[in-house]
Amino acid sequence: MIVNMSDSATQEQIEHIIQRIREAGFQPHVTRGTERTIVAAVGSGGRRHEIEALSVAPGVDNVVAIAQPFKLVSRQARPQPSVVTVGAGGGKTGGGVKIGGPEVVVIAGPCSVESREQLLETAQGVKRAGAAMLRGGAYKPRTSPYEFQGLGIEALKILREARELTGLPVVTEVMSTEDVDLICEYADMLQVGARNMQNFALLRRLAMIKKPILLKRGPSASVKEWLLAAEYLLSGGNDQVVLCERGIKTFETGMRNTFDLAAVALAKELSHLPVVADPSHGTGKQSLIGAVSRAAIAVGADGLIVEVHPCPERALSDGPQSLDLLQFERVMKDLSAPLRPLLIPAEAEA
Amino acid sequence: MIVNMSDSATQEQIEHIIQRIREAGFQPHVTRGTERTIVAAVGSGGRRHEIEALSVAPGVDNVVAIAQPFKLVSRQARPQPSVVTVGAGGGKTGGGVKIGGPEVVVIAGPCSVESREQLLETAQGVKRAGAAMLRGGAYKPRTSPYEFQGLGIEALKILREARELTGLPVVTEVMSTEDVDLICEYADMLQVGARNMQNFALLRRLAMIKKPILLKRGPSASVKEWLLAAEYLLSGGNDQVVLCERGIKTFETGMRNTFDLAAVALAKELSHLPVVADPSHGTGKQSLIGAVSRAAIAVGADGLIVEVHPCPERALSDGPQSLDLLQFERVMKDLSAPLRPLLIPAEAEA
Amino acid sequence: MIVNMSDSATQEQIEHIIQRIREAGFQPHVTRGTERTIVAAVGSGGRRHEIEALSVAPGVDNVVAIAQPFKLVSRQARPQPSVVTVGAGGGKTGGGVKIGGPEVVVIAGPCSVESREQLLETAQGVKRAGAAMLRGGAYKPRTSPYEFQGLGIEALKILREARELTGLPVVTEVMSTEDVDLICEYADMLQVGARNMQNFALLRRLAMIKKPILLKRGPSASVKEWLLAAEYLLSGGNDQVVLCERGIKTFETGMRNTFDLAAVALAKELSHLPVVADPSHGTGKQSLIGAVSRAAIAVGADGLIVEVHPCPERALSDGPQSLDLLQFERVMKDLSAPLRPLLIPAEAEA
Amino acid sequence: MIVNMSDSATQEQIEHIIQRIREAGFQPHVTRGTERTIVAAVGSGGRRHEIEALSVAPGVDNVVAIAQPFKLVSRQARPQPSVVTVGAGGGKTGGGVKIGGPEVVVIAGPCSVESREQLLETAQGVKRAGAAMLRGGAYKPRTSPYEFQGLGIEALKILREARELTGLPVVTEVMSTEDVDLICEYADMLQVGARNMQNFALLRRLAMIKKPILLKRGPSASVKEWLLAAEYLLSGGNDQVVLCERGIKTFETGMRNTFDLAAVALAKELSHLPVVADPSHGTGKQSLIGAVSRAAIAVGADGLIVEVHPCPERALSDGPQSLDLLQFERVMKDLSAPLRPLLIPAEAEA
């Protein structure tokens, strides 16, 4: 941490800062410039917030943090990429699905479980097309109280049946600490939705379970805040965490969100955790899903989570961004097509 | 709702939309232009999401919603402004504090309750300066797990003691459904923090209690989403709701948030609920709090919620945006100064 | 500037940075922590960009700027607020209108000059209601080439006639270096529109003239970037600059822009230049203009610039955010009403 | 256009709207719902702004535009993708470089031309690595007046020499109408920088020349606004336009901009114009350029524009986001590597 004194800071004010840095458990280190003085707080055992609060001390211009605030999720803590295994030992799923390994994992399924028929048809369809995991919402966070809120436990039972039928491990969203135990009985992976990324009570509860967590980035969360939310899980005891980029809120209204694909690369640079991408929420537009899914893999995502519905125009939620089964098949085929070639001028070295 | 057909839509595709609008419980109404056809879904009893999902039906360009999606919170539902009474019957507080009446309510206190001494000193100080309610965090939502997380129940007891001592009703944040009953025993008003604005499990639980709720706007919530979050409370049975603007996330890094004061005016135009403003989070900068507090009152806010700490540079949280007691007194005095006069040219009519 | 070395930086890499800092004209100052080393570049004569570029040197984590990059516009350069006089010596306007003095200057008029009748009626109306200056667009920056682009020189002549008639000094927008001389003949103040805030060729040209400039903040410009745009004018020789906040682009779609009133206070804290606010573009909504105009004055704005049209529903541009003359009169009256009083509990000290 | 009447609109107010729609050159078409009435303005010859302004007419709730406002740039106007040829007939460049054809065009070079040596070394290096075009700034738009502003005409001469030497067509930025003729003599393609995307005087001037234009998206421009800026060029007579996505401004500070790769796919869906992507400005981070370049190609970009400098840590501008020649070679090689394979469960259909 660096405390940047103002031009007019007095010697007494500088002394005060030096003393406060010591009280906070750091060593002070003073650099006197021609115009201003900066005081660094050096060491790793001190209390950061006490230095931050010095920004309002007399004679201080501002306080700048140097080191990243997250620890266990960082590459420094674990230089090798983590691999999270989902559904291990769960009957047909055998050894489980590995997210973060050499291959890209596609998770597919409807936004919401609407009926037994709808889910089983979708599960079989996405499996046939090559999906490795099944998604489906039982408890739905909806902007309006008048929208479909999910089938709850009935949906969980249908998800379990789909897993038995197809062998695909299941991920579903948890919205409340009170539902954690129940959902753990039925699902292989628990999703923290974007709007709950900083629901710290929920994160603390999920840190205590043994199931892997899919942690979506909040619509206004910086990559740093996202990694700090993951830090709640790791520091609480659960290191089976997969991050999920799903688009952020910006001024652009041509798509539902701005899909921040570069953030996938940045998160993987800063952290050892696997990162998957959600092209459905990322764009909100059926017609763009194929293109951005390819881009997500190209940028380094360890997986995709895609909304698929047998009949999107009849979906109870997220119809506009859902693929039907035929469209999903086509997208899956495109995912292994080679990249478009470069135009190389004749004279360049081959 | 309006379904906007593409230029190349066939008659068959238009018929399909007409039929689907009927199935969704609306009456279809077709307008044929020279280039394109639009089909309106008319009526109030239909299922909106079924029309929204038609955006992916063949021949459809897009679907546009006309009416606002919120109901009970809207001015249409209740043209007169609501008044929410906090702390009624609570001993010294007498008839309680009315938010939304003719006078502006100032709520003040520390970000976190840190100790008995800190809170009591602050409570007495802010009361002396004219605050009508006391704030103080017992359970703190913190970006990092390594930051101070609040004193919990111990803080609640100290808050109650401060209320006994000063007569000021108390508002404190609730982060989890599991804490609702406990906090209800101690506090006069429960705050839903910005990061929990769309924690729908929490909103549904708070809809069932009798205490008033202070609902902060999420850092990336539109005014419409904020009002829909309030709609969860009203539709669930609790209409004692006060909205709180506290700044949104934008590209501007010179302040902690962008304080959206115009949104206060917009929220009051769209809804009958009282709106207060939080200049501390809104700017994150001690030096700006006086100016933006005056602006908040000028724009129509029914109250302010301000962070005050006996020694901001020693605060365990939010030090950089906290006022000390002397600064708070000065800000309070400024709040009744007249607006700067206009320069009126000599020739203008007086 | 601070160069923050990574944990794994070698001694050789640190030496390299020290040498590069010297080459860039600064003195290096090394602070060795337990985990990492930081190297400060001290002094005022060096080349900042050379230090910035070190962020890609081997062993460097990042580079942090400490001092503000602007100079002449800053409070350090001139602690007293600047006053800019518009229209001095221009016949009837007498001593000119002072922006940044003890009184608030209201500038009003139509978005575009559409006809002689429209402008003269508006000019007389806004003067009657107390406006001190007249606005009106001759050259219009329009998002679409198919929208009304302004009457050009014809509009300039009408503006001059309105000034003769009313004595109100005139501000109008300049979009191109090629129009500067012509507009200088007709107008008292030249406006740089939001979309041209970083049109540096235009700024450099305007730095060479003697007329005052109204510099609008770009829709995605930080306060820092805005002040640096003003720095182009001051460093080029024109210090008659008034800043204008007119709303920024954010995710909120309920209003045309997010009116950043706190930025008015921040700009005035960082700079000595006067700041006016544009409630018309700031919100884009006629019904909110009164409330946010009051807020702009309360937060410290030195003036307002308001769009007024005799018949907004027939305006060729910006109809939805224009006031008619009656509405403008009402808004003007409200601007001197006292602020809503506080609710002070009986026991507080009076 | 749809005029949405409020619940309380009177019959007289509806009649007024019907009449105004006729006056604006459209046919009115009324739909009466149970709660509200909407009036569509049908036809293609009317004046849109007159309908937009009706949002402030009595009894009107809001006005909604249905059709896209751009024409010549749209897929409707030209369903087949356009191909723009740069440098045709220019000596060694032979038939020119085709952007928008079956192959991806890589444009590379320094942010600024700093010296003859620097540029020639870079030009030869990027050609060797497979670049098809050369970039280099002669006139630089810089946030601060104290930063390096480019070598101007001297740089143009060096660029021409590099083109002679390598045969690579050259693109360079134009900042002012006054420089257009001069730059046309030296460069094969003129770039409109992000900050000038809505410099309409410049766009109108560039619409009159015969050279192709590279139109960067503004940092806060929606895709719609970007296409409307291109519409200025096409409607003015120049249809040799290539769009360039270079990142937008959002709350995320971990990267210089938020690289909006999905917007590449959206722009190509809405328009026939070629789209290239700028990973250097898109992320501002050397270490991410390889990953996001691959993603840009995967999402459908017709080209890349990449900053390359012989020694980024000594660059006069944009050092932190520039690749050195070795890094550029490596990135180029990666661009033809296959996408990471999918994990396909054993039981899926092959």
Side-chain angles (χ1 to χ4, degrees):
Chain A
M1 313 279 289
I2 307 242
V3 180
N4 178 29
M5 307 302 298
S6 68
D7 297 7
S8 56
T10 64
Q11 186 53 33
E12 197 181 1
Q13 289 167 341
I14 295 170
E15 298 289 344
H16 173 68
I17 296 305
I18 290 171
Q19 185 193 328
R20 295 286 294 118
I21 286 174
R22 282 213 188 88
E23 287 172 24
F26 294 98
Q27 288 95 52
H29 197 289
V30 180
T31 299
R32 277 173 219 277
T34 46
E35 288 176 347
R36 58 169 72 225
T37 295
I38 62 175
V39 192
V42 171
S44 58
R47 290 171 297 282
R48 286 169 69 102
H49 74 267
E50 296 191 24
I51 308 302
E52 277 160 21
L54 292 177
S55 69
V56 288
V60 173
D61 226 37
N62 54 51
V63 174
V64 178
I66 294 288
Q68 293 285 14
F70 40 82
K71 298 178 185 171
L72 301 176
V73 303
S74 76
R75 283 270 173 194
Q76 275 75 42
R78 205 190 292 173
Q80 292 309 310
S82 293
V83 176
V84 172
T85 305
V86 183
K92 260 194 174 180
T93 63
V97 169
K98 288 184 192 319
I99 306 181
E103 292 160 329
V104 172
V105 171
V106 178
I107 307 167
C111 175
S112 307
V113 178
E114 300 170 4
S115 71
R116 189 171 171 274
E117 292 64 38
Q118 171 242 20
L119 188 73
L120 297 189
E121 181 186 348
T122 310
Q124 289 174 304
V126 301
K127 183 177 182 188
R128 214 161 36 230
M133 278 182 60
L134 179 66
R135 63 152 289 153
Y139 301 87
K140 297 300 307 170
R142 302 306 303 277
T143 301
S144 162
Y146 307 119
E147 294 171 319
F148 176 62
Q149 308 277 323
L151 296 181
I153 186 167
E154 192 190 337
L156 294 177
K157 289 178 181 166
I158 298 171
L159 284 166
R160 181 154 66 180
E161 186 179 349
R163 185 181 45 174
E164 296 303 315
L165 185 69
T166 60
L168 299 181
V170 159
V171 59
T172 198
E173 179 163 353
V174 56
M175 287 174 62
S176 168
T177 51
E178 290 160 1
D179 299 330
V180 172
D181 289 333
L182 182 69
I183 296 177
C184 278
E185 283 178 43
Y186 289 90
D188 300 288
M189 183 179 214
L190 276 68
Q191 174 183 313
V192 177
R195 290 179 274 205
N196 276 318
M197 189 200 86
Q198 291 189 318
N199 179 340
F200 300 115
L202 183 59
L203 294 178
R204 272 194 283 262
R205 179 71 187 78
L206 293 173
M208 291 186 256
I209 66 171
K210 299 281 174 216
K211 298 261 177 174
I213 306 296
L214 185 70
L215 179 65
K216 289 204 156 185
R217 180 182 181 190
S220 66
S222 66
V223 170
K224 191 160 81 175
E225 292 165 331
W226 187 22
L227 292 178
L228 280 166
E231 189 84 17
Y232 267 88
L233 295 167
L234 272 75
S235 70
N238 188 346
D239 65 355
Q240 300 299 297
V241 176
V242 175
L243 301 168
C244 178
E245 157 64 28
R246 48 74 76 197
I248 57 174
K249 269 204 171 182
T250 72
F251 62 83
E252 172 63 72
T253 56
M255 294 170 283
R256 180 170 175 184
N257 287 297
T258 293
F259 198 24
D260 190 2
L261 285 168
V264 173
L266 180 61
K268 289 188 71 71
E269 182 174 294
L270 295 173
S271 172
H272 55 83
L273 295 176
V275 183
V276 307
D278 175 347
S280 308
H281 289 86
T283 63
K285 251 179 109 78
Q286 203 187 59
S287 60
L288 303 177
I289 303 227
V292 297
S293 293
R294 275 171 63 79
I297 296 179
V299 92
D302 298 295
L304 301 174
I305 177 163
V306 185
E307 289 188 344
V308 178
H309 191 283
C311 181
E313 72 163 269
R314 288 178 187 267
L316 296 185
S317 56
D318 282 358
Q321 71 196 34
S322 295
L323 301 174
D324 65 26
L325 285 162
L326 198 64
Q327 291 166 328
F328 178 65
E329 257 179 65
R330 254 186 261 127
V331 166
M332 288 294 281
K333 277 199 187 107
D334 278 357
L335 293 182
S336 32
L339 287 175
R340 195 165 152 203
L342 303 186
L343 176 73
I344 305 284
E347 302 92 339
E349 297 192 349
Chain B
M1 313 279 288
I2 307 245
V3 180
N4 178 30
M5 307 302 296
S6 69
D7 297 9
S8 56
T10 64
Q11 186 52 32
E12 198 181 0
Q13 288 166 341
I14 296 170
E15 298 290 344
H16 173 69
I17 296 304
I18 290 170
Q19 185 194 329
R20 294 287 292 118
I21 286 174
R22 282 211 188 90
E23 287 172 24
F26 294 98
Q27 288 93 52
H29 197 289
V30 180
T31 299
R32 275 172 222 277
T34 46
E35 286 174 349
R36 57 170 72 226
T37 295
I38 62 175
V39 192
V42 171
S44 58
R47 290 171 298 281
R48 286 169 68 103
H49 74 267
E50 297 192 23
I51 307 303
E52 277 161 20
L54 292 177
S55 69
V56 287
V60 172
D61 227 36
N62 55 51
V63 174
V64 178
I66 296 289
Q68 293 286 15
F70 41 82
K71 298 178 186 172
L72 302 177
V73 303
S74 75
R75 283 271 174 194
Q76 275 75 42
R78 206 190 293 173
Q80 293 309 311
S82 294
V83 176
V84 172
T85 306
V86 183
K92 262 194 173 181
T93 62
V97 169
K98 289 187 192 315
I99 306 180
E103 293 161 329
V104 172
V105 172
V106 178
I107 309 167
C111 174
S112 307
V113 178
E114 300 170 3
S115 70
R116 190 171 169 274
E117 294 64 37
Q118 170 241 21
L119 189 72
L120 298 189
E121 180 185 348
T122 310
Q124 289 174 304
V126 301
K127 183 178 182 186
R128 214 162 36 233
M133 279 181 60
L134 179 66
R135 62 152 290 153
Y139 302 87
K140 298 300 306 170
R142 303 305 303 276
T143 301
S144 161
Y146 307 119
E147 295 172 320
F148 177 61
Q149 307 277 323
L151 296 181
I153 186 167
E154 191 190 338
L156 294 176
K157 288 177 182 166
I158 298 170
L159 284 165
R160 184 155 63 179
E161 185 180 349
R163 184 180 47 174
E164 296 305 315
L165 186 69
T166 59
L168 300 181
V170 159
V171 59
T172 198
E173 178 163 353
V174 55
M175 287 174 62
S176 168
T177 51
E178 289 161 1
D179 300 329
V180 172
D181 289 334
L182 182 70
I183 297 177
C184 277
E185 282 179 44
Y186 290 89
D188 299 288
M189 183 180 215
L190 276 67
Q191 173 183 316
V192 177
R195 289 178 275 204
N196 276 318
M197 189 199 86
Q198 292 189 318
N199 179 340
F200 300 115
L202 183 60
L203 294 178
R204 272 194 285 260
R205 179 70 186 78
L206 293 173
M208 291 185 255
I209 67 172
K210 300 280 173 219
K211 298 261 176 172
I213 306 296
L214 185 70
L215 179 64
K216 289 204 154 184
R217 180 183 181 190
S220 66
S222 67
V223 170
K224 191 160 81 175
E225 291 165 332
W226 187 23
L227 293 178
L228 280 167
E231 188 84 17
Y232 267 88
L233 295 167
L234 273 75
S235 69
N238 187 346
D239 65 354
Q240 299 300 298
V241 176
V242 176
L243 301 168
C244 177
E245 158 62 28
R246 46 76 74 197
I248 57 174
K249 270 206 170 181
T250 72
F251 62 83
E252 173 63 72
T253 56
M255 293 170 284
R256 181 170 173 182
N257 288 297
T258 293
F259 198 25
D260 190 2
L261 286 168
V264 173
L266 180 61
K268 289 188 71 71
E269 181 175 294
L270 295 173
S271 173
H272 54 85
L273 296 175
V275 183
V276 307
D278 174 347
S280 308
H281 289 87
T283 62
K285 252 179 107 78
Q286 204 187 61
S287 60
L288 303 177
I289 303 223
V292 297
S293 293
R294 276 171 63 77
I297 295 178
V299 92
D302 298 294
L304 300 174
I305 176 163
V306 185
E307 290 187 344
V308 179
H309 191 283
C311 181
E313 72 163 271
R314 288 179 188 267
L316 296 184
S317 55
D318 280 358
Q321 71 196 34
S322 295
L323 301 175
D324 66 26
L325 285 163
L326 198 65
Q327 291 166 328
F328 179 66
E329 257 180 65
R330 251 185 263 128
V331 165
M332 287 296 280
K333 274 195 191 114
D334 278 357
L335 292 181
S336 33
L339 287 175
R340 194 164 152 201
L342 302 186
L343 175 74
I344 305 284
E347 303 91 340
E349 298 192 349
Chain C
M1 313 279 288
I2 307 244
V3 181
N4 178 28
M5 308 300 298
S6 68
D7 298 8
S8 56
T10 64
Q11 186 53 31
E12 199 180 0
Q13 289 167 341
I14 296 170
E15 298 290 343
H16 174 68
I17 296 305
I18 290 170
Q19 185 193 326
R20 295 286 293 118
I21 287 174
R22 283 212 187 88
E23 288 172 25
F26 294 98
Q27 290 94 51
H29 197 290
V30 181
T31 299
R32 277 173 220 277
T34 45
E35 287 174 349
R36 57 169 74 224
T37 295
I38 63 175
V39 192
V42 171
S44 58
R47 292 171 296 282
R48 286 169 68 102
H49 73 268
E50 296 191 23
I51 308 301
E52 276 161 21
L54 292 178
S55 69
V56 288
V60 173
D61 225 37
N62 55 52
V63 174
V64 177
I66 294 289
Q68 293 285 14
F70 40 84
K71 298 178 185 172
L72 302 176
V73 303
S74 75
R75 283 270 173 194
Q76 275 74 42
R78 205 190 293 173
Q80 291 311 308
S82 293
V83 176
V84 172
T85 305
V86 183
K92 260 195 175 178
T93 61
V97 169
K98 289 186 192 317
I99 306 180
E103 291 161 329
V104 172
V105 172
V106 178
I107 309 166
C111 175
S112 308
V113 178
E114 299 171 5
S115 71
R116 188 171 171 275
E117 293 64 37
Q118 171 241 21
L119 190 72
L120 298 190
E121 180 186 348
T122 310
Q124 290 175 302
V126 301
K127 183 176 181 188
R128 216 165 32 235
M133 280 182 61
L134 180 65
R135 62 153 289 152
Y139 301 87
K140 297 300 305 170
R142 303 305 304 274
T143 302
S144 162
Y146 307 118
E147 295 172 319
F148 177 63
Q149 308 276 321
L151 297 180
I153 186 167
E154 192 190 335
L156 294 176
K157 289 177 180 165
I158 298 170
L159 283 166
R160 182 154 65 180
E161 186 179 350
R163 185 181 45 174
E164 296 304 316
L165 186 69
T166 59
L168 300 181
V170 158
V171 59
T172 196
E173 178 163 354
V174 56
M175 286 174 62
S176 168
T177 51
E178 290 161 1
D179 300 330
V180 171
D181 288 334
L182 183 70
I183 296 176
C184 278
E185 283 180 42
Y186 290 90
D188 301 287
M189 183 180 215
L190 277 67
Q191 173 183 313
V192 177
R195 288 178 277 205
N196 276 319
M197 188 199 86
Q198 291 190 318
N199 179 341
F200 300 114
L202 183 59
L203 295 178
R204 272 193 285 260
R205 179 72 187 76
L206 294 173
M208 291 186 259
I209 68 171
K210 299 277 174 225
K211 299 261 176 173
I213 307 295
L214 185 69
L215 178 65
K216 289 204 156 184
R217 180 183 182 191
S220 65
S222 66
V223 170
K224 190 160 81 175
E225 291 165 331
W226 187 23
L227 293 177
L228 280 167
E231 188 84 17
Y232 267 88
L233 295 167
L234 272 74
S235 69
N238 188 345
D239 65 355
Q240 300 298 297
V241 176
V242 176
L243 302 169
C244 177
E245 158 63 28
R246 45 75 76 199
I248 57 173
K249 268 204 173 182
T250 71
F251 62 83
E252 173 63 72
T253 56
M255 293 170 283
R256 182 172 173 181
N257 287 298
T258 293
F259 199 23
D260 189 4
L261 286 169
V264 173
L266 180 61
K268 289 187 72 69
E269 181 175 293
L270 295 172
S271 172
H272 54 84
L273 296 175
V275 183
V276 307
D278 175 345
S280 308
H281 288 87
T283 62
K285 251 178 108 81
Q286 206 187 58
S287 59
L288 303 177
I289 302 223
V292 298
S293 293
R294 277 171 62 78
I297 296 178
V299 91
D302 298 294
L304 300 174
I305 178 162
V306 185
E307 290 188 344
V308 179
H309 191 283
C311 181
E313 71 163 271
R314 288 178 188 268
L316 295 185
S317 54
D318 281 356
Q321 70 195 35
S322 295
L323 300 175
D324 65 26
L325 286 162
L326 199 64
Q327 291 166 329
F328 179 65
E329 259 179 64
R330 250 184 265 128
V331 166
M332 287 297 279
K333 277 198 188 110
D334 278 356
L335 292 182
S336 32
L339 287 175
R340 193 164 152 203
L342 303 186
L343 175 74
I344 305 283
E347 302 91 339
E349 297 189 352
Chain D
M1 312 280 289
I2 307 243
V3 181
N4 179 30
M5 308 300 298
S6 69
D7 297 6
S8 55
T10 64
Q11 186 52 32
E12 199 180 2
Q13 289 166 340
I14 296 170
E15 298 290 343
H16 173 68
I17 295 306
I18 289 171
Q19 185 194 328
R20 294 287 293 118
I21 286 175
R22 283 213 187 87
E23 287 171 25
F26 295 97
Q27 289 94 50
H29 197 291
V30 181
T31 299
R32 277 173 219 279
T34 46
E35 288 174 350
R36 57 170 73 223
T37 295
I38 64 176
V39 192
V42 171
S44 58
R47 292 171 296 283
R48 286 169 67 102
H49 74 267
E50 296 191 24
I51 307 302
E52 276 162 21
L54 292 178
S55 69
V56 287
V60 172
D61 224 38
N62 55 51
V63 174
V64 178
I66 295 290
Q68 293 285 14
F70 40 82
K71 298 179 185 171
L72 302 176
V73 303
S74 76
R75 284 269 174 194
Q76 275 75 42
R78 206 190 292 173
Q80 291 309 311
S82 293
V83 176
V84 172
T85 304
V86 183
K92 260 194 173 179
T93 62
V97 168
K98 289 186 191 319
I99 306 181
E103 291 160 330
V104 172
V105 172
V106 178
I107 308 167
C111 175
S112 307
V113 178
E114 300 171 4
S115 71
R116 188 170 171 276
E117 294 63 39
Q118 172 241 20
L119 189 72
L120 298 190
E121 181 186 348
T122 310
Q124 290 175 302
V126 301
K127 181 176 182 187
R128 215 162 35 232
M133 280 181 61
L134 180 65
R135 63 153 288 152
Y139 302 88
K140 296 301 306 171
R142 302 306 302 275
T143 302
S144 162
Y146 307 118
E147 294 171 320
F148 176 62
Q149 308 275 322
L151 297 180
I153 184 166
E154 190 190 338
L156 294 176
K157 288 176 182 167
I158 298 170
L159 283 165
R160 182 155 65 179
E161 186 180 349
R163 184 182 44 177
E164 296 305 315
L165 185 70
T166 60
L168 300 181
V170 158
V171 60
T172 197
E173 178 163 352
V174 56
M175 286 174 63
S176 168
T177 52
E178 291 161 0
D179 300 329
V180 171
D181 289 334
L182 182 70
I183 296 177
C184 278
E185 282 179 43
Y186 289 89
D188 301 288
M189 183 179 215
L190 277 67
Q191 174 183 312
V192 177
R195 289 177 276 205
N196 276 319
M197 189 199 87
Q198 291 190 317
N199 179 340
F200 301 116
L202 183 59
L203 295 178
R204 272 193 284 260
R205 179 71 186 77
L206 294 174
M208 291 186 257
I209 66 171
K210 299 280 174 220
K211 297 262 178 173
I213 307 296
L214 185 69
L215 179 65
K216 289 204 156 184
R217 180 183 180 189
S220 65
S222 66
V223 170
K224 191 160 81 175
E225 291 165 331
W226 187 23
L227 293 177
L228 281 166
E231 189 84 18
Y232 267 88
L233 295 168
L234 272 76
S235 69
N238 188 346
D239 65 354
Q240 300 299 296
V241 176
V242 175
L243 301 168
C244 179
E245 157 63 28
R246 48 74 76 199
I248 57 173
K249 270 205 172 182
T250 72
F251 62 83
E252 173 63 70
T253 56
M255 294 171 283
R256 181 170 174 183
N257 287 297
T258 293
F259 199 24
D260 190 3
L261 286 168
V264 173
L266 180 62
K268 289 188 72 70
E269 181 175 294
L270 295 173
S271 172
H272 55 83
L273 296 175
V275 182
V276 307
D278 175 346
S280 308
H281 289 86
T283 62
K285 250 179 110 77
Q286 205 188 58
S287 59
L288 303 177
I289 304 228
V292 297
S293 293
R294 276 171 62 78
I297 296 179
V299 92
D302 298 295
L304 301 174
I305 178 163
V306 185
E307 290 188 343
V308 178
H309 192 285
C311 181
E313 71 164 270
R314 288 178 188 269
L316 296 184
S317 55
D318 281 358
Q321 71 195 34
S322 296
L323 301 175
D324 66 26
L325 285 162
L326 198 65
Q327 291 167 329
F328 179 64
E329 256 179 65
R330 251 185 263 129
V331 166
M332 288 295 279
K333 276 197 189 110
D334 278 356
L335 293 181
S336 31
L339 288 175
R340 191 165 154 203
L342 303 186
L343 175 74
I344 305 284
E347 302 91 339
E349 297 191 349

